[in-house]
Amino acid sequence: MAAYKRVLLKLSGESLMGAQQYGIDPSRLADYASDIKEACAMGVQMGIVIGGGNIFRGLSGASKGFDRVKGDQMGMLATVINSLALSSALESTGVKTKVLTAVRMEPIGEFYNKWRAIELLEQGYVTIFSCGTGNPFFTTDTGSSLRGIEIEADAMLKGTRVDGIYTADPEKDPTATKFDRITYDEIYARGLKVMDLTATTMCMENNLPIVVFDMDTPGNLLKVLRGEPIGTYVSNEKA
């Protein structure tokens, strides 16, 4: 039994690189598609947002002389490439998908609106939201928060390369300890960087919980969907 009826899954672009230094690792993409297919078989309605950092990141481009608005637009296009790749991988396994874009670019994807997205989810489509919010100066984390709220998801599942939220960066501080549950208020008080502040605030104000977990371990997505206590659960409720 799934613990959630409808979720917004946030994937990082960097994770699609796998062991590569750039681009999309076909084996990593296949692993993701396999897990998502099993999630659909559980009856979970799934919207997905993928970042574009494996191809181009607007903020880093701006630091190298790109105009920030154009850099962010390039980043939006990178998310479209990743969305199409995931859509193709899923459809090759028999999963129905739709790519919706926050910027008009038919026939590459259908222009996003909330009611169309919910209609597709209820029809059993894995619905992939690309281009972030469609605006510069906003991250794909904020795009995920926005879409999660709009589609009335039960939770946002933030798939990362770490297995949850820690008191400090576990890759730099060996004494860092992991939280099983944490409130949004505590994230602010401790200055933890789960997502950017705009995205975190949107989730807090709209009471959308987040589960941060290691997506790169096959099977973890299904564990989260079953409600198993892996990763870190973030909400407005104290444990």
Side-chain angles (χ1 to χ4, degrees):
M1 287 290 292
Y4 305 99
K5 178 186 176 184
R6 181 182 297 159
V7 297
L8 189 290
L9 174 64
K10 169 61 166 66
L11 301 174
S12 74
E14 287 92 337
S15 65
L16 288 181
M17 292 189 294
Q20 302 176 173
Q21 298 299 310
Y22 178 83
I24 299 170
D25 178 1
S27 63
R28 175 61 55 79
L29 194 63
D31 286 343
Y32 282 2
S34 176
D35 276 0
I36 293 166
K37 180 178 181 177
E38 289 192 54
C40 294
M42 295 169 64
V44 178
Q45 297 177 13
M46 185 165 296
I48 302 177
V49 171
I50 314 177
N54 56 320
I55 299 171
F56 190 87
R57 185 182 293 279
L59 192 59
S60 61
S63 69
K64 297 172 182 174
F66 284 90
D67 173 81
R68 176 64 192 274
V69 172
K70 286 185 171 58
D72 281 351
Q73 289 169 337
M74 292 168 71
M76 291 177 208
L77 295 176
T79 72
V80 176
I81 292 172
N82 287 340
S83 296
L84 292 173
L86 181 60
S87 171
S88 179
L90 284 166
E91 290 189 349
S92 72
T93 70
V95 176
K96 298 188 299 182
T97 73
K98 277 285 186 182
V99 175
L100 303 186
T101 64
V103 177
R104 284 199 178 277
M105 53 179 70
E106 295 93 345
I108 289 172
E110 189 173 331
F111 189 52
Y112 171 85
N113 75 73
K114 165 184 172 164
W115 298 276
R116 176 60 173 156
I118 291 176
E119 177 185 39
L120 289 166
L121 290 164
E122 290 178 341
Q123 290 174 356
Y125 285 84
V126 171
T127 309
I128 305 171
F129 308 117
S130 62
C131 298
T133 68
N135 298 289
F137 300 99
F138 290 93
T139 66
T140 50
D141 279 344
T142 301
S144 302
S145 301
L146 177 61
R147 297 295 179 241
I149 294 161
E150 285 183 312
I151 67 170
E152 302 169 25
D154 300 319
M156 181 198 297
L157 311 183
K158 184 172 170 59
T160 68
R161 63 180 182 177
V162 294
D163 62 348
I165 300 171
Y166 284 75
T167 52
D169 186 341
E171 295 179 353
K172 298 177 181 176
D173 184 352
T175 66
T177 56
K178 178 173 164 282
F179 294 99
D180 293 324
R181 296 179 71 97
I182 191 171
T183 65
Y184 286 110
D185 285 340
E186 192 169 359
I187 283 174
Y188 288 128
R190 290 175 173 267
L192 300 174
K193 291 180 172 59
V194 180
M195 301 189 295
D196 69 78
L197 286 175
T198 305
T200 306
T201 301
M202 286 182 68
C203 290
M204 181 182 72
E205 291 181 343
N206 291 276
N207 209 30
L208 177 65
I210 307 171
V211 182
V212 179
F213 72 104
D214 172 18
M215 180 69 185
D216 294 348
T217 300
N220 271 359
L221 174 61
L222 305 177
K223 291 179 181 178
V224 171
L225 291 171
R226 286 194 293 261
E228 295 182 28
I230 70 167
T232 301
Y233 185 85
V234 187
S235 72
N236 285 316
E237 299 174 5
K238 293 185 178 180

